[in-house]
Amino acid sequence: FSGPLDDTSVIGHEGEWAPDGRTYFGGDLTQGQYYAVNVDDPRKPKFITKFTPPVGVHGLSISPDGTRGYVTLSGSMRNEGANTNGFAIYDFTPISTRAADPTPKLLKEVYWADGSTAQHTIPVKVKGQDFLIAVDELGSDGVQGAASRIVTCGTNRLAFGIPRIFDVTDPMNPALVSKLTLEINQPENCPTASSDTAGLALFGYDSHYCAVDNPSDAKMLACGYFNSGLRLFDISNPRKVREIAYFNPAM
């Protein structure tokens, strides 16, 4: 199928399928909104709804039963004067059940001050417990030159994006349990890292996309870090994550 949807105003960027394959969710970066499309009949997709999060749009993910949405709130403290980077948890039940009013309900917002441009989320179970992996694309103050990164590190905030793991057993009270910070990401190594990446247009030692071995029983997490290559982590204990392998190809 290729053709216009009922609402042709949306502009796609990031996207994700509901685990049952019945719904496609997209992030409209240009207009700051998320949207859902009914694909019960793949030959006749139908627009369901669109909604505007508290701030910023990028990637998102959906719980296995389709009732929870974990959307990124892609912001920056530097650009907006407030801490606006993180994720939000939505009740997607009205969408998954095809309710007459399919508007999802915002349940919880979570923000942090040492990252920006939230990239995507991954809901996982580890030993039966619910966790959410949230990945940033850039550091605390967004796009920066080498000198600005050093200033950021002087505030003891991260100059490069990293993944984080949250305990979301209680969706109304998510708790940060781990920050996957490489040695090069540590503030004390900021001068070296900034010098290394001074000539790059945008990304440096930032994280980008991550994936787990098995979302329903996760033990390993693989993440791409641009200049730091591919990193593999043991997350069998999300509160004590260990890096177990890496591959950084020659440029």
Side-chain angles (χ1 to χ4, degrees):
F1 171 81
S2 178
L5 294 170
D6 304 17
D7 186 330
T8 59
S9 66
V10 296
I11 302 172
H13 183 71
E14 295 273 342
E16 186 60 85
W17 292 90
D20 63 8
R22 297 178 56 230
T23 312
Y24 176 77
F25 293 87
D28 182 344
L29 187 67
T30 303
Q31 301 178 86
Q33 60 187 357
Y34 289 102
Y35 59 91
V37 179
N38 181 338
V39 287
D40 287 336
D41 182 350
R43 295 176 180 82
K44 296 180 181 179
K46 296 181 180 179
F47 191 84
I48 299 175
T49 190
K50 57 187 176 184
F51 60 98
T52 302
V55 63
V57 167
H58 220 162
L60 76 160
S61 58
I62 303 93
S63 64
D65 63 3
T67 64
R68 290 286 181 271
Y70 303 97
V71 310
T72 56
L73 302 177
S74 191
S76 168
M77 177 176 285
R78 183 189 66 169
N79 294 335
E80 301 182 42
N83 186 14
T84 58
N85 188 69
F87 66 86
I89 303 176
Y90 276 84
D91 181 357
F92 274 2
T93 303
I95 296 174
S96 64
T97 60
R98 307 295 191 249
D101 178 4
T103 306
K105 179 182 179 182
L106 176 63
L107 299 178
K108 187 67 177 180
E109 302 164 54
V110 178
Y111 298 98
W112 48 86
D114 58 348
S116 70
T117 320
Q119 176 67 37
H120 72 123
T121 58
I122 311 171
V124 301
K125 282 187 178 293
V126 179
K127 298 177 181 177
Q129 189 173 350
D130 290 316
F131 292 91
L132 185 72
I133 300 164
V135 185
D136 277 344
E137 191 175 34
L138 291 170
S140 302
D141 292 318
V143 180
Q144 296 179 287
S148 297
R149 284 199 181 101
I150 294 174
V151 172
T152 296
C153 285
T155 67
N156 205 35
R157 294 180 300 136
L158 298 173
F160 299 97
I162 65 164
R164 293 168 167 80
I165 302 178
F166 291 82
D167 181 340
V168 290
T169 304
D170 178 359
M172 300 305 294
N173 293 287
L176 176 67
V177 298
S178 286
K179 294 165 65 173
L180 280 61
T181 310
L182 304 179
E183 185 176 1
I184 194 67
N185 298 135
Q186 299 292 344
E188 61 267 25
N189 294 320
C190 187
T192 298
S194 296
S195 176
D196 285 349
T197 58
L200 299 181
L202 183 57
F203 301 113
Y205 291 106
D206 306 278
S207 55
H208 200 201
Y209 282 106
C210 297
V212 296
D213 55 338
N214 181 357
S216 62
D217 185 22
K219 295 181 176 65
M220 291 185 292
L221 173 71
C223 292
Y225 278 83
F226 289 106
N227 278 26
S228 291
L230 176 65
R231 302 286 171 146
L232 187 64
F233 301 93
D234 176 354
I235 60 168
S236 55
N237 182 348
R239 292 171 174 80
K240 293 184 179 180
V241 177
R242 295 186 304 114
E243 184 180 352
I244 55 177
Y246 73 92
F247 174 66
N248 200 355
M251 298 297 289

